[in-house]
Amino acid sequence: KCMLITKFGHSCVLLDDGQTKILLDPGIYSNLAVDLVVDAVVITHAHQDHLDIEQLQKVMQNCSPRIITSTEVKTELAKHSIEVEILEDGGSATIKTFTISGHGSEHAIMHPDLPKFQNTGYLINDKIFHPGDALFVPPTQIEVLLLPVSAPWSKISETLDYISTVKAKINFPIHDGFLTDGGAFYRFSKMWCEKIDAEFIEPELNKSYELSI
């Protein structure tokens, strides 16, 4: 079955199997198509680089998507009278041809003295995992890891260990909106993927890639 993935910047990606479209983490670094229509929007946590109200409202002008997210995000979206469906760790939902399950509950720690935040990773069809802002290891062997490559809560050694631990067939870089280009973060990640015979996709923005899964 064909699955297309399109990156709209940073951690925002579109998954499209020809029947269902879901958008994940439209944030301030996203560059969404003006006519984008989706069946659901999935949001891992409330930080601006993963949830931008203006970007979300752009999509909602074109369609009426289900919004799948966590309690913390629900509180934020309630300020804008946007209704959501809660899907957190241990929960699951069906969106037409997609099944989605929630995994993990904590945002990666940036510093022990800084506030802690909620974060839910989402597993799609037991094959594609978007961890949000955490290096949560999915409970089953996956085929595609949406790989955070640059963040204030991580370092490259942790990224490489994450690649090795998850052992996904395909690694698709996300969380790179802070970078002018992939640079060393992409090079090291690609090298590490080659080391374990995994694929590393270097995506162009707004270009669709077919996933061999």
Side-chain angles (χ1 to χ4, degrees):
K1 191 174 187 179
C2 176
M3 176 75 76
L4 297 178
I5 183 169
T6 307
K7 183 173 180 177
F8 292 121
H10 198 56
S11 292
C12 182
V13 299
L14 175 73
L15 296 176
D16 177 6
D17 69 354
Q19 300 179 65
T20 309
K21 294 181 180 180
I22 63 170
L23 182 72
L24 295 107
D25 281 6
I28 56 173
Y29 298 108
S30 305
N31 181 25
L32 299 178
V34 293
D35 58 349
L36 182 64
V37 173
V38 299
D39 297 286
V41 179
V42 179
I43 302 165
T44 61
H45 64 290
H47 289 166
Q48 281 186 312
D49 55 326
H50 297 258
L51 167 62
D52 179 66
I53 299 300
E54 288 187 10
Q55 296 286 351
L56 180 58
Q57 289 176 333
K58 282 181 186 178
V59 177
M60 295 176 68
Q61 288 174 0
N62 299 332
C63 54
S64 299
R66 293 168 63 181
I67 299 175
I68 309 293
T69 191
S70 64
T71 303
E72 209 166 82
V73 174
K74 178 182 179 180
T75 300
E76 184 64 30
L77 292 182
K79 300 173 186 177
H80 303 273
S81 301
I82 298 174
E83 296 185 1
V84 309
E85 300 175 37
I86 298 296
L87 177 54
E88 297 176 332
D89 185 49
S92 63
T94 301
I95 303 169
K96 296 174 67 175
T97 53
F98 284 149
T99 57
I100 302 179
S101 53
H103 300 274
S105 57
E106 295 182 356
H107 189 288
I109 300 297
M110 287 180 280
H111 189 279
D113 293 340
L114 290 174
K116 294 178 174 58
F117 301 95
Q118 186 177 18
N119 179 88
T120 306
Y122 290 105
L123 180 60
I124 296 94
N125 291 349
D126 287 330
K127 293 182 178 181
I128 304 170
F129 187 60
H130 192 310
D133 275 10
L135 299 180
F136 186 91
V137 177
T140 187
Q141 182 60 55
I142 63 168
E143 298 193 42
V144 182
L145 174 63
L146 304 184
L147 175 70
V149 293
S150 174
W153 44 264
S154 73
K155 54 187 178 181
I156 190 65
S157 62
E158 295 171 335
T159 304
L160 302 183
D161 285 343
Y162 192 46
I163 293 171
S164 295
T165 301
V166 176
K167 295 183 175 66
K169 183 172 72 172
I170 300 170
N171 292 266
F172 189 93
I174 60 170
H175 213 284
D176 53 5
F178 312 117
L179 307 175
T180 53
D181 60 57
F185 293 93
Y186 274 30
R187 286 199 304 274
F188 276 110
S189 298
K190 184 177 182 179
M191 176 191 71
W192 214 254
C193 287
E194 290 173 349
K195 178 180 173 182
I196 63 170
D197 294 321
E199 181 181 354
F200 182 82
I201 296 174
E202 297 187 52
E204 296 179 27
L205 295 187
N206 296 52
K207 179 179 177 180
S208 296
Y209 295 82
E210 183 173 345
L211 299 174
S212 302
I213 59 174

